[in-house]
Amino acid sequence: MHENDRPILRVRGVVKRYGARAAVDGVSFELWPGEVLAVVGESGSGKSTLLNAVSARARPDAGEVEFLTRHDGPVDVYALSEAARRLLARTDWGFVHQNAAEGLRMNVSAGANVGERLMALGERHYGRIRAEAGDWLRRVEMDVARIDDSPQTFSGGMRQRLQIARNLVTRPRLVFMDEPTSGLDVSVQARLLDLLRSLTRQLSLAAIIVTHDLAVARLLAHRMMVMKGGRVVETGLTDQVLDDPQHPYTQLLVSSVLQP
Amino acid sequence: MHRPAIRVEGLSKTFTLHNQGGAQLQVLRNVSFEVHPGECVALDGASGAGKSSLLKLIHASYLASAGSIRIDDGSGAVEVGTAAPRELMRLRRDVIGYVSQFLRTVPRVAALDVVAEPLIEEAGDSLDRARDALQQAEGLLRRLRIPARLWQVPPATFSGGEQQRVNIARGFIRRKAVLLLDEPTASLDADNRITVTAMINEARQEGAAIVGIFHDVRVREAVATRTYDMRQAL
């Protein structure tokens, strides 16, 4: 069977509790190679908790998360050893944080930030690492002359682009993004969205993007999942959910924004 | 050989407005028709008769309330209402083309790339095919009289007519077995109207099954092989 004929991620009945409250309450979905899924909802809907649970960052209280590995078929990510899980997260996965400082190492250079993930894959040749890092800075439209500068000297938009380069340098097949464009100026947002859109397509990345911004979902995602109170209330093709929302909550969300 | 490309049976659509006391808005009732390859059906009816809704239902942008929509994907009929999102994405990529009046622009993407994108996606890693896609996009933009100096400019700042032509070029760059056209000539001048009319007829002669809304009587008469009267639908 060809790799693209199976879901890259299969999530079944995931529950995550904080005390007595279920922040995520029985969520199941599949993600296919090359597919971009937006998870939308207001703050407190459980969307970020879900992202952490499916990206192996916070073990769920119930349910399964199965990832289709390159060589060993589907594996339950929480059944892997800590070391194996970390390797997966540093190579075949990417995680783009809303706040770039959380996804970067702020005390080393831009080039080292990108090169670090290559070294995790065993690359030791300094010249090759530097060349690859420079190449990725170009791909995210950064000035390569800044390769030795610390991200502390970068603007918010530049930091976010650097974080994306750091994540994509290992050619991951699945990228998780938590509100990747919020907190940026609108003009910077547009540029970043366009960059994300072209990169996900060029690299056939599967991605899960958590966002409260329906316009971001419209632009980037093939499919959408609407969350409320820890549950999925509606799911479907992006234009279908936005143009013909079925659930009262989705209708409220869609009618509350200006032309998503 | 003569299977319909589109088969609509008993299709109804009612919007339920939950945030307005659950008001029900029926836009289509019991629509049935078939479109065969090489046919162009013009939807006829006043504004508000549900013409655009019907196209959106066939495109799966709207969900049917009742009835069936089947699209022939070359190997069999796919039921749009029950197909998985992934299947619908494949249908849209390979089988169904949809051209609306309005271009949904993406910030910073040049007109040429907007047009070439459906072919570029298909090209994968092949540089030759990507180059070929850009050449075909140039050809279409030239045919639709978009000046070459605009090709590298994002269409957000274009006039309505220019945006519509970019949209048409994008919609026609890949041969599709099913074409849904929502007022494709609404804001075009005479020369471009004639060009678009010719493009629609060429697609039909190559075997596309077309459903369209054509307000302009001259265009409708030039492209439609028959008319579907929307008054039957409500």
Side-chain angles (χ1 to χ4, degrees), chain A residues 95-112:
Chain A
F95 196 104
V96 176
H97 296 263
Q98 175 177 1
N99 176 4
E102 280 177 50
L104 293 172
R105 286 181 52 199
M106 298 302 281
N107 51 354
V108 302
S109 70

Side-chain angles (χ1 to χ4, degrees), chain A residues 220-235:
Chain A
L220 293 179
H222 301 109
R223 278 201 298 137
M224 265 176 81
M225 218 157 76
V226 182
M227 286 189 73
K228 180 178 195 291
R231 294 173 188 247
V232 174
V233 296
E234 184 159 358
T235 174

Side-chain angles (χ1 to χ4, degrees), chain A residues 57-74:
Chain A
R57 300 161 57 80
R59 184 181 287 274
D61 297 301
E64 264 175 53
V65 179
E66 198 180 81
F67 174 69
L68 182 65
T69 57
R70 267 179 227 247
H71 305 297
D72 305 322

Side-chain angles (χ1 to χ4, degrees), chain A residues 4 32 35 141 190-191 194 197 201 218-219 222-223 237 239-240 243-244 246-248 251-252 260, chain B residues 13 15-19 59-63 85-86 88-89 92 104 106-109 117 121 125:
Chain A
N4 287 341
W32 295 78
E35 204 174 65
E141 303 171 9
R191 181 175 184 187
D194 171 38
R197 185 173 177 275
R201 288 177 186 215
R218 169 87 83 181
L219 201 59
H222 301 109
R223 278 201 298 137
L237 291 175
D239 61 311
Q240 185 266 302
D243 295 343
D244 188 14
Q246 306 291 309
H247 191 276
Q251 289 188 358
L252 186 65
Chain B
K13 176 63 183 172
F15 290 99
T16 305
L17 310 175
H18 291 288
N19 300 302
H59 188 244
S61 296
Y62 286 175
L63 290 177
R86 187 174 135 77
L88 292 173
M89 281 158 57
R92 289 181 180 184
R104 197 175 280 283
V106 176
R108 298 207 318 143
V109 179
E117 189 179 62
E121 278 181 2
D125 285 340

Side-chain angles (χ1 to χ4, degrees), chain B residues 75-155:
Chain B
S75 50
V78 178
E79 178 66 59
V80 169
T82 54
R86 187 174 135 77
E87 182 80 345
L88 292 173
M89 281 158 57
R90 186 185 63 80
L91 268 188
R92 289 181 180 184
R93 194 187 61 221
D94 298 336
V95 183
I96 307 176
Y98 175 71
V99 179
S100 69
Q101 292 176 61
F102 305 105
L103 178 68
R104 197 175 280 283
T105 52
V106 176
R108 298 207 318 143
V109 179
L112 189 67
D113 296 319
V114 170
V115 174
E117 189 179 62
L119 278 182
I120 300 263
E121 278 181 2
E122 192 189 23
D125 285 340
S126 164
L127 278 180
D128 282 345
R129 289 178 66 188
R131 213 169 300 134
D132 183 55
L134 289 173
Q135 270 173 12
Q136 287 192 48
E138 287 180 12
L140 277 165
L141 287 174
R142 200 174 291 122
R143 185 172 181 192
L144 288 159
R145 300 176 185 80
I146 302 286
R149 65 187 158 78
L150 293 181
W151 294 355
Q152 294 303 331
V153 178

